[in-house]
Amino acid sequence: MEAFGLDFELLHLLPLASHQAAGLASAVDGLRTAQQSLGLRAATASAAEHPLGLRSFRLIAAACRRGHPVDLIHSHGIWLAPSRASHQLRRRGFPTVLAPHGMLDPWAWQRRRALKQLLWWAGEQRTLQGASCLQALSATEASAIRNLGITAPVALIPNGVSLPDCSPSARAALPPAPWLAKGVPSGVPVLLFLGRFHPKKGLNPLLLAWERLQVQGAAEAWLVFAGFGDGDALARRLSSSPIPRTCLVGALQGDAKASALAHAAGFVLPSFSEGLPMAALEAMSWALPCLLSPACNLPEAFTAGAAWPASPDVESLLPVLARWTRSVEQDPGELRSMGGAGRQLVTERFHWPQVAAQSLDLYRWLLGGGAQPGFVSIEKTF
């Protein structure tokens, strides 16, 4: 830590460290790894590793190791054991950073609203207000935090991704596209959905819009769903009312996931609510043209020409899906330019080394070793 003038130990708290935690687990793992590469002693503690009812206690114990406590806590997600543990640790004098990861987004707030309001007044509001600093992944999330009356400092630090090798030789070394084993013809363009199967992802309007596109006589492109969650419900939906040129491949990890991103011709995420979706950043890192809803909180992608707006309703999705299918056949150069713009955007704004460096500036300030970073707001509005 000599380059940053820091010598301390950090503990990340999160609900679940497996892929079932969706982008949150991937984001925390990527941040921790990037921080370690800069020399920071960073570790992770997952609540799900412990018995229900003891999780907050065990996370607190992990931070308060006998004779060698950690120096700072970075807690991820709210409503669950990590945020409760971070509140108790803050009361014990630990500096704490709390990242809601989109869980205070207005759409997300309406889901199970009565329970969340109860938890909010029972202590979650005090947890956020009492944190040393909150981490917002986007300006939209920072505004959502302020709109709830939280006046704690807010640091605007996005998620990040690693930059894959997109060279032809690297792509050729990957396994075949995973949808080939599911009957998708070789060589056809694929529009890829990659993520958690959840209503907030806009899956239903996407399916309805794709079905209408097929009725209108669309090109030979396929829509492929890769991910996890309620995959059985999605499979039943596709089998009970078959939609032409759709395919479900399930969860992908490692080289299989890289192969899907490397062989797709586009990426779609018409979400109702996001923090800052890792899947969209990964798609852009692979130079894929993207169809994203405004709720993905990536206005930079639209400004850079890396994405087209794809709001989660059928009437909005239909023309943008049609535009993508036409471009695949008639103007692939436009899609290549979009992909290049996305890759450049990730390189400049969302590459893990830059994101990790921002986090270290924040920690240094919280520990009294540096000035307040410019990306930290202590005002009512961001």
Side-chain angles (χ1 to χ4, degrees):
M1 291 307 305
E2 182 179 350
F4 290 91
L6 294 173
D7 184 15
F8 65 90
E9 188 165 352
L10 167 73
L11 182 63
H12 290 282
L13 306 181
L14 73 163
L16 183 64
S18 78
H19 75 275
Q20 294 177 345
L24 190 153
S26 176
V28 175
D29 182 65
L31 178 59
R32 175 186 55 81
T33 301
Q35 290 170 338
Q36 289 173 337
S37 72
L38 294 177
L40 176 63
R41 298 194 305 276
T44 300
S46 167
E49 297 172 1
H50 307 293
L52 193 65
L54 295 176
R55 290 174 175 176
S56 296
F57 174 79
R58 294 287 177 83
L59 293 179
I60 293 169
C64 301
R65 296 187 303 249
R66 186 181 300 275
H68 185 58
V70 300
D71 299 286
L72 189 142
I73 303 298
H74 197 151
S75 183
H76 301 268
I78 60 173
W79 312 121
L80 299 170
S83 64
R84 293 194 295 273
S86 71
H87 179 64
Q88 293 300 318
L89 289 165
R90 181 72 186 113
R91 294 181 64 183
R92 298 186 186 199
F94 287 80
T96 59
V97 178
L98 179 56
H101 285 271
M103 296 179 188
L104 293 175
D105 176 84
W107 189 94
W109 182 264
Q110 295 301 320
R111 302 277 296 180
R112 305 178 71 185
R113 179 179 176 84
L115 175 59
K116 289 177 179 176
Q117 285 184 320
L118 177 62
L119 293 172
W120 182 255
W121 295 115
E124 204 69 24
Q125 182 186 35
R126 292 192 296 274
T127 297
L128 272 76
Q129 183 63 36
S132 304
C133 189
L134 303 178
Q135 179 196 356
L137 301 176
S138 67
T140 300
E141 183 171 35
S143 296
I145 291 169
R146 294 300 189 213
N147 288 342
L148 288 168
I150 302 299
T151 59
V154 178
L156 182 54
I157 302 177
N159 286 332
V161 288
S162 301
L163 287 173
D165 184 352
C166 292
S167 66
S169 59
R171 290 173 183 266
L174 291 169
W179 47 81
L180 296 180
K182 299 288 186 175
V184 178
S186 177
V188 302
V190 163
L191 182 61
L192 178 66
F193 171 91
L194 177 67
R196 185 160 59 111
F197 302 142
H198 188 278
K200 80 169 188 174
K201 301 293 184 178
L203 296 180
N204 191 57
L206 176 58
L207 282 168
L208 293 173
W210 187 260
E211 184 174 31
R212 284 179 54 179
L213 191 66
Q214 304 310 307
V215 172
Q216 294 175 6
E220 293 296 317
W222 281 65
L223 175 62
V224 171
F225 294 91
F228 58 95
D230 196 356
D232 290 341
L234 183 59
R236 289 193 299 271
R237 166 74 172 84
L238 293 176
S239 61
S240 63
S241 180
I243 299 174
R245 304 187 186 97
T246 57
C247 175
L248 175 65
V249 297
L252 301 175
Q253 299 294 322
D255 284 349
K257 179 180 176 181
S259 176
L261 290 163
H263 289 99
F267 173 84
V268 60
L269 182 57
S271 187
F272 287 98
S273 173
E274 294 287 342
L276 187 63
M278 294 293 292
L281 297 178
E282 290 171 339
M284 288 193 293
S285 76
W286 279 96
L288 285 179
C290 293
L291 315 182
L292 307 175
S293 70
C296 290
N297 293 321
L298 278 166
E300 304 94 333
F302 303 126
T303 302
W308 292 335
S311 296
D313 66 85
V314 175
E315 297 305 322
S316 297
L317 280 168
L318 187 58
V320 74
L321 292 173
R323 181 183 179 187
W324 177 81
T325 57
R326 285 195 305 270
S327 295
V328 164
E329 289 189 342
Q330 302 172 15
D331 193 5
E334 180 183 22
L335 298 181
R336 284 194 297 270
S337 295
M338 289 177 65
R343 171 86 174 192
Q344 185 64 29
L345 177 62
V346 167
T347 302
E348 295 175 354
R349 299 284 300 277
F350 301 103
H351 191 200
W352 272 130
Q354 290 98 308
V355 174
Q358 281 187 287
S359 73
L360 297 185
D361 286 342
L362 173 62
Y363 302 154
R364 177 169 57 183
W365 172 61
L366 293 175
L367 292 169
Q372 176 186 321
F375 53 80
V376 173
S377 165
I378 56 174
E379 303 296 334
K380 291 277 189 177
T381 58
F382 208 91

